[in-house]
Amino acid sequence: MDDKTDELRAAHDVLAEFYVEHLADHLERMPAERAVLGLFCELTLAAGLGTTIGDVGCGTGRLEPYLAARGLSPHGVDLSPGMVSVARRDYPGFSFDEADLRDLPFEDASLAGVVCWYSLLFLTPDDRAVAFAELARVVKPGGYFVTASQVGDGTHQRRGRSTDLGIEFDAYWMSPEEMRRRAAEAGFEAVFWGGRPAEEPETTPQHFLLARRVS
């Protein structure tokens, strides 16, 4: 594991309980996020490719109950052992494993879909093509991919200081245009994209992409 990946993993080990405290009910307060995830669930079920999906970069596992309540069977993976430990503790009815987005523990074309909810923002420019190709590898043709992220221009920034937890890590907020391009190059066809303005304490608009695996 390279130094930057190790730094990111260690930082998120520290962030695990912080996320439980600050994000546990976040989805309940965000109707736009629920709407996009709900559309993903409906389209995935309608595709008839099964119910097993990957929650890639699952963090504390907070999305699993929402996805399961809408008929899907999520399997969460995260780079951080601390996040996975908290997810297993708080959501014992679901499966969680440690994994790197660039090397997922799923067989080829084994999933009906993948969720990458605020988990692609750590990809360096050199890692993006590899990561999107890996997402495409594990999704069945006709399956779906959904992501959410902050709007940016894909350039490097240091994050983590505002938590006052003594951590820092690299982040790269891609533009909506780059997100759609990367997905298309990997074999996904966009079926919905949109966004919303920043809400406190956010400082930038958020964007969403829902795409279907076509090749």
Side-chain angles (χ1 to χ4, degrees):
M1 182 176 295
D2 62 86
D3 290 344
K4 288 298 184 180
T5 301
D6 189 58
E7 177 187 63
L8 180 66
R9 182 177 65 172
H12 281 76
D13 286 347
V14 175
L15 282 167
E17 294 294 350
F18 180 89
Y19 280 6
V20 169
E21 180 180 352
H22 292 86
L23 296 178
D25 65 344
H26 186 261
L27 193 61
E28 297 173 13
R29 297 182 277 108
M30 295 295 176
E33 277 81 346
R34 293 197 307 274
V36 175
L37 284 171
L39 179 58
F40 166 79
C41 293
E42 289 190 28
L43 289 174
T44 299
L45 291 173
L49 300 174
T51 62
T52 303
I53 63 165
D55 182 6
V56 178
C58 64
T60 59
R62 64 188 180 89
L63 296 187
E64 263 60 10
Y66 184 89
L67 298 168
R70 281 146 189 83
L72 298 180
S73 305
H75 183 153
V77 296
D78 200 276
L79 179 68
S80 160
M83 290 287 184
V84 170
S85 177
V86 166
R88 289 171 174 167
R89 179 196 71 195
D90 292 351
Y91 304 101
F94 298 97
S95 296
F96 299 99
D97 291 296
E98 295 174 35
D100 190 313
L101 169 57
R102 299 164 296 184
D103 185 20
L104 294 172
F106 304 115
E107 298 294 327
D108 293 358
S110 60
L111 302 178
V114 288
V115 177
C116 296
W117 213 242
Y118 293 93
S119 57
L120 301 180
L121 56 96
F122 308 111
L123 293 170
T124 69
D126 289 341
D127 285 334
R128 291 170 197 168
V130 172
F132 276 88
E134 186 69 351
L135 294 171
R137 178 186 69 79
V138 301
V139 175
K140 298 175 183 179
Y144 287 88
F145 154 69
V146 68
T147 189
S149 186
Q150 298 89 340
V151 173
D153 61 5
T155 58
H156 171 260
Q157 54 184 296
R158 292 290 281 175
R159 308 295 298 178
R161 299 187 192 99
S162 63
T163 63
D164 293 325
L165 295 173
I167 59 171
E168 290 187 47
F169 51 87
D170 291 343
Y172 307 81
W173 297 347
M174 279 182 272
S175 68
E177 293 77 17
E178 181 178 3
M179 192 77 78
R180 291 198 298 271
R181 176 174 62 81
R182 295 282 184 181
E185 290 172 350
F188 290 101
E189 179 182 55
V191 297
F192 170 83
W193 59 94
R196 63 166 176 78
E199 298 184 12
E200 291 292 341
E202 298 165 346
T203 59
T204 183
Q206 314 292 294
H207 67 104
F208 312 102
L209 174 65
L210 175 58
R212 185 172 64 92
R213 180 80 166 92
V214 294
S215 63

